[in-house]
Amino acid sequence: MAVITEYKVHDQMLIAVDCIIFGFDGKNLKALLVKRGIEPELGKWSLMGGFVQKDESVEAAAFRVLEVRTGLKDIYLEQLFVFGAMKRDPGGRVVSVAYFALINIDDYSFKLMREHSAKWFDIKRIPPVIFDHKKMILMAKEQLRQKVANHPIGFELLPEKFTLPQLQNLYEAIYESTFDKRNFSRKILSLHILKKLDEKEKSLSKKGAFYYTFDHNKYKKLAKEGLKFI
Amino acid sequence: MAVITEYKVHDQMLIAVDCIIFGFDGKNLKALLVKRGIEPELGKWSLMGGFVQKDESVEAAAFRVLEVRTGLKDIYLEQLFVFGAMKRDPGGRVVSVAYFALINIDDYSFKLMREHSAKWFDIKRIPPVIFDHKKMILMAKEQLRQKVANHPIGFELLPEKFTLPQLQNLYEAIYESTFDKRNFSRKILSLHILKKLDEKEKSLSKKGAFYYTFDHNKYKKLAKEGLKFI
DNA sequence: ACAAAAGTGTTCACTGTACACCCATGT
DNA sequence: ACATGGGTGTACAGTGAACACTTTTGT
């Protein structure tokens, strides 16, 4: 506290983080929302968020919020934007740093979901949310589209093993659009970052579809040159 | 203050803005740095920055800093990233929101430059700077490259009237690379967002090069479909 | 046998890139 | 006349998009 007095003293402002958490159920892209537990706007739907503590970095705060609320560590997290409008939070002057996270929906336990009154919402059917969270969600959606076109982060939303039709469904959900499966598989496979397994997923079709895994090592080698996924 | 007590009270943290200001002198891409006027690190080179006040939005703070330091209003400003590491500023816990700005280098007066001990540095020869400002500058450079490929913001760095060779020089400076002038002019002109004037710039060559201006109206009409500049 | 999803090639248009010469003018 | 930078066209390769039929197997 002694050091900080070298700067002019300012009124209290709080720094918060809010996380847009994306999941994919095999068919639709989802965002995880919680029923807000504090005033103002108690009981309304909200992004998962919390205040940055003095002894943690802003990014660490985002990871902490995610871990406490979902039990998940080591998940994909990316800074999105700072929302710094003066009256965005009627409860006080709060500047919020929005992050978006990608998780494998199966890793998120129903137990925690109940405990935190959390719920997955189809990205196309987001209910009314507090403050400027709607803007955050829209921005995250857009950023996800941008990012996923050139970076191998879509895999974060899928199980370790996945099929090409599953991967295509994911991309179609993200872009709210459809792709030709011949062109799609050719393009994805030509990147040489997927490893085909000798095993088929059989529950979704009679013929069954081969499983693939994302090959992190191959990707790292190729990444420097820049890949185009879509 | 009454309202804010609804939130748990936190230790003091300050929110700052830092601006990476780009300019173009016809040949090289430049960034504007200032000799820092306060402790710590007084006298070292630094980005232009300042603290966010309680009665202004974060973005407004960035505009304020720019106006006070450069005298310029209505300039292109874009949020870059939040730097929120715990010990980034040894003077206290300061979370900084970095912005990058594009200005026409001729609009920046030498008078203000002296008053603020500011100086333009070639982007390829940035001197040692305080804190994490080096990272901010590198990130801004990268973001500028990304953005300028798909958005008509390069023109912000040029005078109202400019020639195709000048525009090409700008892109070459940004990408630290060279382009074929036939391909470059064909691509740019095919966007139909430049208006050719009946006037030539004569000081840089004997033949003279035609001036162009950016046609904001035409651009707006085309923008929705998405343009590729490079 | 048939329904349902998986898998697989070819053609065509377009876009990006490589490349070289003439033009206008000030000295 | 010549030196300097401005302006222009063509050919080729690579990429993206459209498009339909066969395969497998559970019922």
Side-chain angles (χ1 to χ4, degrees):
Chain A
M1 284 302 279
V3 214
I4 211 167
T5 55
E6 292 174 19
Y7 294 131
K8 176 166 166 261
V9 173
H10 294 72
D11 282 343
Q12 177 88 1
M13 283 191 277
L14 296 178
I15 303 175
V17 293
D18 284 301
C19 300
I20 298 94
I21 304 172
F22 288 111
F24 178 64
D25 67 359
K27 195 80 186 165
N28 293 300
L29 187 64
K30 308 271 192 176
L32 190 61
L33 301 178
V34 289
K35 274 230 175 79
R36 186 169 157 94
I38 60 172
E39 288 291 354
E41 305 258 21
L42 187 145
K44 295 247 182 101
W45 291 105
S46 155
L47 293 170
M48 285 187 182
F51 292 106
V52 178
Q53 308 295 317
K54 208 190 170 189
D55 61 352
E56 65 181 356
S57 70
V58 176
E59 186 177 79
F63 275 114
R64 176 178 51 77
V65 165
L66 281 168
E67 194 183 337
V68 170
R69 299 273 198 138
T70 68
L72 299 173
K73 289 184 185 195
D74 299 324
I75 66 187
Y76 183 86
L77 188 68
E78 183 173 332
Q79 195 189 108
L80 182 62
F81 203 72
V82 179
F83 291 79
M86 236 161 42
K87 299 187 175 166
R88 52 172 296 281
D89 183 336
R93 182 66 203 277
V94 182
V95 170
S96 175
V97 185
Y99 283 82
F100 78 88
L102 305 180
I103 72 176
N104 176 352
I105 207 164
D106 302 324
D107 293 344
Y108 181 52
S109 83
F110 287 96
K111 183 172 140 288
L112 274 161
M113 199 147 147
R114 294 227 181 74
E115 273 171 25
H116 292 99
S117 337
K119 197 178 158 193
W120 288 105
F121 287 90
D122 188 318
I123 198 69
K124 283 178 281 188
R125 310 208 188 300
I126 297 293
V129 285
I130 63 167
F131 307 168
D132 46 9
H133 287 196
K134 181 79 187 176
K135 214 185 292 174
M136 293 179 182
I137 294 168
L138 288 175
M139 207 162 181
K141 201 168 110 178
E142 181 54 32
Q143 177 108 339
L144 177 61
R145 285 182 188 181
Q146 298 291 334
K147 194 84 185 193
V148 94
N150 299 294
H151 301 269
I153 60 172
F155 307 107
E156 305 285 341
L157 290 161
L158 293 170
E160 186 65 24
K161 299 187 295 188
F162 53 86
T163 66
L164 284 186
Q166 281 169 353
L167 185 62
Q168 180 168 350
N169 285 342
L170 169 61
Y171 275 83
E172 291 182 341
I174 291 174
Y175 288 101
E176 291 175 21
S177 157
T178 57
F179 301 110
D180 181 277
K181 62 178 174 177
R182 287 161 291 188
N183 293 337
F184 182 83
S185 76
R186 186 170 345 101
K187 206 184 299 187
I188 293 291
L189 293 176
S190 73
L191 300 172
H192 302 295
I193 54 170
L194 294 187
K195 198 156 50 184
K196 190 175 185 173
L197 304 183
D198 260 341
E199 191 189 349
K200 280 187 167 186
E201 131 70 41
K202 305 279 291 179
S203 75
L204 295 168
S205 72
K206 290 159 184 172
K207 186 176 178 183
F210 280 105
Y211 276 121
Y212 289 81
T213 54
F214 173 54
D215 188 330
H216 291 267
N217 289 330
K218 271 194 198 159
Y219 171 69
K220 265 179 228 152
K221 284 177 204 156
L222 296 167
K224 293 153 201 163
E225 298 142 42
L227 300 178
K228 287 201 70 173
F229 287 75
I230 290 294
Chain B
M1 287 303 277
V3 213
I4 211 169
T5 55
E6 292 174 20
Y7 293 131
K8 174 165 168 259
V9 173
H10 293 71
D11 281 344
Q12 179 87 358
M13 284 190 274
L14 296 177
I15 304 175
V17 293
D18 283 302
C19 300
I20 298 94
I21 304 173
F22 288 111
F24 178 64
D25 67 1
K27 194 80 186 163
N28 293 300
L29 187 64
K30 309 271 192 176
L32 190 61
L33 300 178
V34 290
K35 273 229 175 80
R36 185 169 158 96
I38 59 172
E39 286 292 356
E41 306 257 24
L42 187 144
K44 296 249 181 97
W45 292 105
S46 154
L47 293 170
M48 286 188 181
F51 292 107
V52 178
Q53 308 295 316
K54 208 190 170 189
D55 62 352
E56 65 182 357
S57 71
V58 177
E59 186 177 78
F63 275 113
R64 175 177 52 77
V65 164
L66 281 168
E67 194 183 336
V68 169
R69 299 273 198 138
T70 68
L72 299 174
K73 288 185 187 196
D74 299 324
I75 66 188
Y76 184 86
L77 188 69
E78 183 174 332
Q79 195 190 110
L80 182 62
F81 203 73
V82 179
F83 292 79
M86 238 161 43
K87 298 186 176 166
R88 52 173 297 281
D89 182 337
R93 182 67 203 277
V94 181
V95 170
S96 175
V97 185
Y99 282 83
F100 78 89
L102 305 180
I103 73 175
N104 176 351
I105 206 165
D106 303 324
D107 293 345
Y108 182 52
S109 83
F110 286 97
K111 183 173 140 286
L112 273 160
M113 201 146 145
R114 293 232 180 68
E115 274 172 22
H116 292 99
S117 338
K119 198 178 157 193
W120 288 106
F121 287 90
D122 189 318
I123 198 68
K124 283 179 281 190
R125 310 206 189 301
I126 297 294
V129 285
I130 62 167
F131 307 166
D132 46 9
H133 287 195
K134 182 78 187 177
K135 213 185 292 175
M136 293 180 181
I137 294 168
L138 288 175
M139 206 162 181
K141 199 168 112 180
E142 181 54 32
Q143 176 108 338
L144 177 60
R145 285 182 186 180
Q146 297 291 335
K147 193 83 184 194
V148 94
N150 300 295
H151 301 269
I153 61 172
F155 307 106
E156 306 284 342
L157 290 161
L158 293 170
E160 184 66 24
K161 298 187 296 188
F162 52 86
T163 66
L164 285 186
Q166 281 169 354
L167 185 62
Q168 182 169 349
N169 285 341
L170 169 61
Y171 274 83
E172 291 182 342
I174 291 174
Y175 289 100
E176 291 174 21
S177 157
T178 57
F179 301 110
D180 181 278
K181 62 180 173 177
R182 289 161 292 189
N183 293 337
F184 182 82
S185 76
R186 188 176 337 106
K187 205 185 298 189
I188 294 290
L189 293 176
S190 73
L191 300 173
H192 302 296
I193 54 169
L194 294 187
K195 199 157 52 185
K196 190 177 188 174
L197 304 183
D198 260 341
E199 192 189 350
K200 279 188 167 184
E201 131 69 41
K202 306 279 292 178
S203 75
L204 296 168
S205 72
K206 291 161 185 173
K207 183 175 177 181
F210 280 105
Y211 276 120
Y212 288 80
T213 55
F214 173 56
D215 188 331
H216 291 267
N217 289 330
K218 271 194 198 159
Y219 171 69
K220 263 179 231 155
K221 283 177 203 156
L222 296 167
K224 293 152 201 164
E225 298 141 42
L227 299 178
K228 287 201 71 174
F229 287 75
I230 288 296

